[in-house]
Amino acid sequence: MDAIILQILNGLDKGSAYALIALGLTLIFGTLGVVNFAHGALFMIGAFCAVTLSNVFQISRTVIDETRTDFLGNPLKVEIPYVVDWFGESAGAAIIDWAVPLAILFAIPIMITVGFIMERGLIKHFYKRPHADQILVTFGLAIVLQEVIKYFYGANPIPTPAPEAFRGSFDFGTMLGFEANQILYPYWRLVYFFFAAIIIAGVFAFLQFTTFGMVVRAGMADRETVGLLGIDIDRRFTIMFGLAAAVAGLAGVMYVPISPPNYHMGMDFLVLSFVVVVVGGMGSLPGAVLAGFLLGILESFASMREVIAFIPGINQVIIYLVAVVILLTLPRGLMGRKGVMED
Amino acid sequence: MTDQTIQTISRDPAPTAPAHRAKARESTVLGLTRKDLTLLIVVAILTVFAPFILNPFPADSALAQFNAGYPDLMQRFVIFGIFAIGFNILFGLTGYLSFGHAAFLGVGSFAGVWMFKLLGMNVLYAIVASVAFAGLFSVVVGFVSLRRSGIYFSILTLAFAQMSFALAYSVLTPITGGETGLQLAKTDPRIFGQSIADDGNIPVPSFFGLEMRDSTTLYMGGWEFTLNVGYYLCAVVMLVAFYVAIRIFRSPFAMMLRAVKSNQQRMNYTGLNPKPYMLAAFVISGMYAGLAGGLMVSMDPLAGAERMQWTASGEVVLMTILGGAGTLIGPVLGAGFIKYFENIFSKINQATLEGWFSVFPDGLSDLLVTLVYPFVGKGWHLTLGILFMLVVIFLPGGLVQGGQKLATVFRRDKNANAVEGPAADQRSQAGE
């Protein structure tokens, strides 16, 4: 029992990442009808926003501290970050410590801008082109973005820690009445899960309860009619693209402490997210979220030692296997809309 | 369907179909029209003289690093050419975008190495086995994947390829060698050959006694040309593969595939079942990929699972699109182009750049080096990505279409417009 709970918990954080990326992909597909292979790159850019902010906070000036000496007896050089100068000792240290959560604020405008530029500059010209061309051009864009990041940040993963308060694990088992140290779960993963839940709920609430969201939903159902009503649907869809980019970017920002970002993390997630979208059903937002969590949890179950002993290698292929089975049995995926890419 | 003729790189205006085809039937050599025969002969001449053509700079000159005429790279040109020709039979004719073709190449490689281990070092065993096994594997994958089309087909092929990669990397280690790759050993049985060569080493791949790595180097003035047995074997196989591809492109079978591409529903309404044709195309292109894998291990008897990763499948997509999907020569051009970039362009380092720009004043030369450096050397992927995007955006017909456009400009021949127009139309019908 405790093992099962542990696996469900383990699946949640990866599932959250899948769900967030898949949600953005589905938003773009559902509104603009574009298959965006560069979405993984947006996730990666988000992650590097966090890295950048953390680096910026650590820009320091060097001061010679006369009171202390190094091992040769010379006066010690001390690096003092400017942030500490400006905000004082404790506040400055806290800001540096909280770089990753603060990067959320930093990433939102950047991601929305990147999304706007992408949509207006490139994707706009591909609405009328076939899906294969959209896949190819965004695939090319993904390569370009990934190489640009590689040029500036190098090829190695860059570890960026979570704030001090969220390091370490807490004992989830004792809360449920199990023995101590049976179910240990890192705090940050829990944070990630709640963060993802809030973002997902936010996107759904935005689409469901605002006038803007209503127009967008109407546009997803029938773009032409909404246009005929005198609503500038293209502009709203552009904003939705920016929003989807922001969702992917935020997923990336918060994922940084879980696994150090490198330039190809986007591609690694992209392939799986596409599988998630297809399993959930093209164009279905709840489907994308459901499939994201489902596949994340399935993946972590498949990596249990008992399961691997029973079916060797299953942990490597489970997601693809599920995708193949679902695609062949349910033409629309789990919750796909009728008439959306059903061929 | 007057757009048959645009499949060639020839720039003749397309005449009305029946008259043209009747004329073509009269004058066939090897079952090829004169135009296709010319293309085949041009390609043959280029491949045979490639060691000379690709080495235009003297060996000790500063530009020698742009020489691509060394055996290893030339082998890769033709092997990836075969891979791309095969991929094009599927994508170019039917519009089905497979993101998992590298799996067949990988299966072919593993089958090839196993033949070296079990039977003997004759490359014939490896090549035959790699084609056969890749064919069998593609029957299975194709049968399942072709039940869906569009993006679902892409995802299914991707899923199969990723599964094969993951399994080859972990569970199937006894068969695939896992992380280290599958290597030859002195203890291998090699029923029809020797386990250990006379000199005490592992024997090298050969074709009835001709060792693949044998080379002759010709010195002419400052130039050095290396003629390699392995390269010429690959070249002959490539020419045969190219000839078969031309025949396929000109066959009624290809007509059927193009019909599937332009409107599958109408095909169904006419009472034809397109599935067998699609499966045949898929298997043929899988066998081409297997052939490439078999040749790859014949040149260097080592197979690793990373050959099956989806990025490798992405590479062949890049090659085909860059060169021109649906054209005969395009994929070969694209493969050569990308492999040249990968091997030559990536070698340019900061010192080389500084050498080039040293003619300019100091400040300007530094600026130029800083501006150019991100795009060369290790950053060549960036250049490739940008180039690929430009091609997809502006030249959906790839480099071949680019060549045709240039030709139109230079010829100022209004009739030639008839050629590139339909070419673009046809490309834009790809995908769905």
Side-chain angles (χ1 to χ4, degrees):
Chain A
M1 187 61 200
D2 51 341
I4 292 175
I5 294 176
L6 186 64
Q7 293 312 323
I8 292 179
L9 287 174
N10 277 340
L12 282 184
D13 61 305
K14 210 146 201 201
S16 314
Y18 292 154
L20 283 177
I21 302 177
L23 183 70
L25 270 174
T26 310
L27 267 182
I28 292 175
F29 181 77
T31 51
L32 301 169
V34 170
V35 182
N36 181 17
F37 254 55
H39 209 69
L42 293 172
F43 175 73
M44 174 201 62
I45 291 178
F48 277 92
C49 282
V51 172
T52 311
L53 196 69
S54 147
N55 287 348
V56 167
F57 282 161
Q58 277 163 27
I59 295 175
S60 320
R61 64 193 170 88
T62 312
V63 185
I64 294 171
D65 188 347
E66 299 286 354
T67 57
R68 289 188 286 170
T69 51
D70 62 8
F71 64 97
L72 287 174
N74 300 321
L76 190 68
K77 283 181 182 168
V78 186
E79 305 256 313
I80 299 180
Y82 285 106
V83 185
V84 172
D85 278 353
W86 295 337
F87 297 100
E89 191 75 38
S90 59
I95 288 177
I96 293 175
D97 190 30
W98 283 72
V100 172
L102 283 175
I104 293 176
L105 301 176
F106 173 65
I108 289 175
I110 290 188
M111 294 314 299
I112 291 182
T113 317
V114 168
F116 278 0
I117 294 174
M118 244 175 94
E119 203 272 339
R120 287 289 97 184
L122 180 71
I123 308 231
K124 186 177 81 174
H125 306 286
F126 276 79
Y127 293 155
K128 299 263 159 60
R129 305 264 290 258
H131 282 304
D133 278 9
Q134 297 169 352
I135 292 179
L136 293 170
V137 80
T138 47
F139 181 53
L141 182 67
I143 295 178
V144 170
L145 290 177
Q146 142 177 348
E147 289 303 314
V148 169
I149 292 288
K150 185 176 157 195
Y151 178 73
F152 285 108
Y153 293 90
N156 295 325
I158 303 169
T160 312
E164 191 75 49
F166 295 111
R167 281 175 221 165
S169 311
F170 78 114
D171 203 335
F172 198 72
T174 48
M175 288 164 64
L176 298 172
F178 292 103
E179 281 175 41
N181 292 330
Q182 285 288 338
I183 306 176
L184 287 176
Y185 197 60
Y187 281 116
W188 187 259
R189 296 190 176 212
L190 202 71
V191 171
Y192 194 81
F193 170 67
F194 282 117
F195 176 76
I198 290 169
I199 297 259
I200 292 168
V203 169
F204 276 96
F206 179 67
L207 286 176
Q208 205 67 37
F209 301 124
T210 61
T211 320
F212 187 96
M214 190 182 71
V215 172
V216 169
R217 276 186 297 131
M220 281 164 89
D222 190 341
R223 183 186 184 133
E224 225 167 300
T225 312
V226 176
L228 288 174
L229 291 173
I231 295 170
D232 187 356
I233 193 72
D234 284 354
R235 202 172 59 89
R236 312 215 172 196
F237 279 180
T238 308
I239 294 172
M240 286 316 284
F241 194 98
L243 190 74
V247 168
L250 292 184
V253 169
M254 296 294 272
Y255 204 73
V256 164
I258 296 178
S259 102
N262 55 13
Y263 71 98
H264 55 73
M265 70 189 288
M267 285 287 187
D268 300 344
F269 266 90
L270 174 84
V271 173
L272 289 171
S273 315
F274 254 100
V275 173
V276 167
V277 169
V278 170
V279 167
M282 292 298 276
S284 158
L285 295 172
V289 174
L290 178 77
F293 282 111
L294 200 69
L295 290 180
I297 291 170
L298 267 180
E299 194 183 19
S300 88
F301 266 110
S303 50
M304 280 168 76
R305 209 171 289 132
E306 295 83 0
V307 180
I308 294 180
F310 189 58
I311 316 171
I314 186 74
N315 58 328
Q316 311 269 351
V317 299
I318 179 79
I319 288 193
Y320 301 108
L321 212 58
V322 170
V324 168
V325 171
I326 292 214
L327 278 184
L328 294 179
T329 50
L330 300 168
R332 263 179 253 146
L334 288 176
M335 306 175 75
R337 288 211 321 255
K338 203 174 178 189
V340 178
M341 291 194 80
E342 265 185 70
D343 50 345
Chain B
M1 290 286 275
T2 49
D3 48 1
Q4 289 308 298
T5 38
I6 46 148
Q7 300 299 335
T8 66
I9 56 162
S10 154
R11 283 153 313 241
D12 288 340
T16 47
H20 173 66
R21 217 166 284 141
K23 202 179 105 202
R25 286 248 168 74
E26 284 162 21
S27 57
T28 53
V29 185
L30 288 168
L32 301 178
T33 60
R34 176 164 299 160
K35 220 184 304 175
D36 293 338
L37 191 67
T38 323
L39 178 64
L40 183 65
I41 290 173
V42 169
V43 172
I45 291 173
L46 286 178
T47 27
V48 168
F49 289 100
F52 304 96
I53 299 166
L54 292 173
N55 258 4
F57 307 109
D60 49 357
S61 72
L63 290 172
Q65 64 167 324
F66 289 107
N67 282 342
Y70 54 94
D72 190 39
L73 181 55
M74 288 192 299
Q75 288 163 6
R76 250 175 276 167
F77 281 158
V78 285
I79 290 172
F80 279 91
I82 295 173
F83 191 18
I85 292 173
F87 181 79
N88 189 38
I89 290 177
L90 181 71
F91 179 64
L93 288 178
T94 69
Y96 275 54
L97 179 60
S98 158
F99 255 103
H101 250 57
F104 306 125
L105 185 120
V107 168
S109 304
F110 287 126
V113 176
W114 271 108
M115 288 304 120
F116 286 144
K117 284 168 96 73
L118 298 176
L119 296 185
M121 296 309 286
N122 195 329
V123 293
L124 206 60
Y125 305 135
I127 291 173
V128 171
S130 59
V131 174
F133 275 90
L136 282 178
F137 187 54
S138 58
V139 169
V140 177
V141 173
F143 185 77
V144 179
S145 303
L146 284 168
R147 292 179 57 179
R148 306 298 303 273
S149 62
I151 183 156
Y152 297 105
F153 172 80
S154 303
I155 296 279
L156 278 172
T157 46
L158 179 66
F160 277 111
Q162 283 296 86
M163 277 197 273
S164 341
F165 164 67
L167 291 180
Y169 214 69
S170 57
V171 186
L172 296 178
T173 301
I175 304 174
T176 61
E179 288 175 27
T180 48
L182 187 61
Q183 293 163 339
L184 300 182
K186 287 181 188 172
T187 49
D188 295 330
R190 283 190 259 286
I191 318 171
F192 302 123
Q194 307 161 288
S195 281
I196 300 171
D198 298 333
D199 56 2
N201 292 325
I202 298 170
V204 293
S206 59
F207 181 68
F208 296 110
L210 280 170
E211 286 186 9
M212 286 301 118
R213 59 180 189 193
D214 268 0
S215 301
T216 329
T217 309
L218 302 176
Y219 298 94
M220 295 176 179
W223 281 266
E224 278 178 31
F225 303 109
T226 315
L227 307 177
N228 173 263
V229 176
Y231 168 70
Y232 279 105
L233 179 88
C234 292
V236 170
V237 176
M238 201 269 278
L239 288 174
V240 174
F242 190 60
Y243 169 71
V244 174
I246 298 180
R247 290 299 300 265
I248 290 176
F249 266 68
R250 299 287 175 255
S251 65
F253 169 65
M255 189 70 105
M256 196 67 83
L257 295 177
R258 287 199 185 98
V260 170
K261 179 178 178 176
S262 47
N263 198 331
Q264 192 162 4
Q265 240 168 355
R266 250 181 245 175
M267 281 282 289
N268 291 332
Y269 291 157
T270 54
L272 266 156
N273 180 11
K275 283 280 146 61
Y277 295 96
M278 298 299 300
L279 187 61
F282 192 87
V283 173
I284 290 172
S285 78
M287 285 163 85
Y288 267 78
L291 176 64
L295 283 174
M296 221 179 258
V297 294
S298 302
M299 299 306 119
D300 180 16
L302 173 78
E306 69 284 345
R307 261 177 214 176
M308 306 169 97
Q309 216 173 352
W310 82 276
T311 40
S313 305
E315 198 184 13
V316 75
V317 177
L318 293 185
M319 287 171 182
T320 310
I321 309 282
L322 203 61
T327 60
L328 280 168
I329 193 72
V332 185
L333 284 181
F337 192 83
I338 287 187
K339 285 292 149 191
Y340 186 83
F341 254 70
E342 181 183 294
N343 290 282
I344 305 294
F345 217 65
S346 62
K347 273 192 220 141
I348 303 171
N349 54 25
Q350 198 142 11
T352 327
L353 282 182
E354 275 161 12
W356 290 351
F357 294 128
S358 57
V359 287
F360 298 109
D362 268 355
L364 184 62
S365 119
D366 286 350
L367 181 71
L368 282 174
V369 170
T370 333
L371 283 181
V372 177
Y373 183 62
F375 297 95
V376 298
K378 283 185 182 136
W380 76 274
H381 266 116
L382 181 60
T383 321
L384 179 66
I386 293 174
L387 210 68
F388 178 70
M389 280 178 70
L390 291 177
V391 165
V392 176
I393 296 170
F394 297 110
L395 286 176
L399 295 175
V400 169
Q401 196 198 351
Q404 286 168 349
K405 276 195 172 170
L406 274 183
T408 333
V409 170
F410 282 119
R411 277 185 168 188
R412 302 191 174 282
D413 179 358
K414 279 180 188 163
N415 290 332
N417 284 326
V419 175
E420 54 149 312
D425 292 346
Q426 183 157 8
R427 251 309 271 126
S428 65
Q429 284 162 12
E432 288 305 293

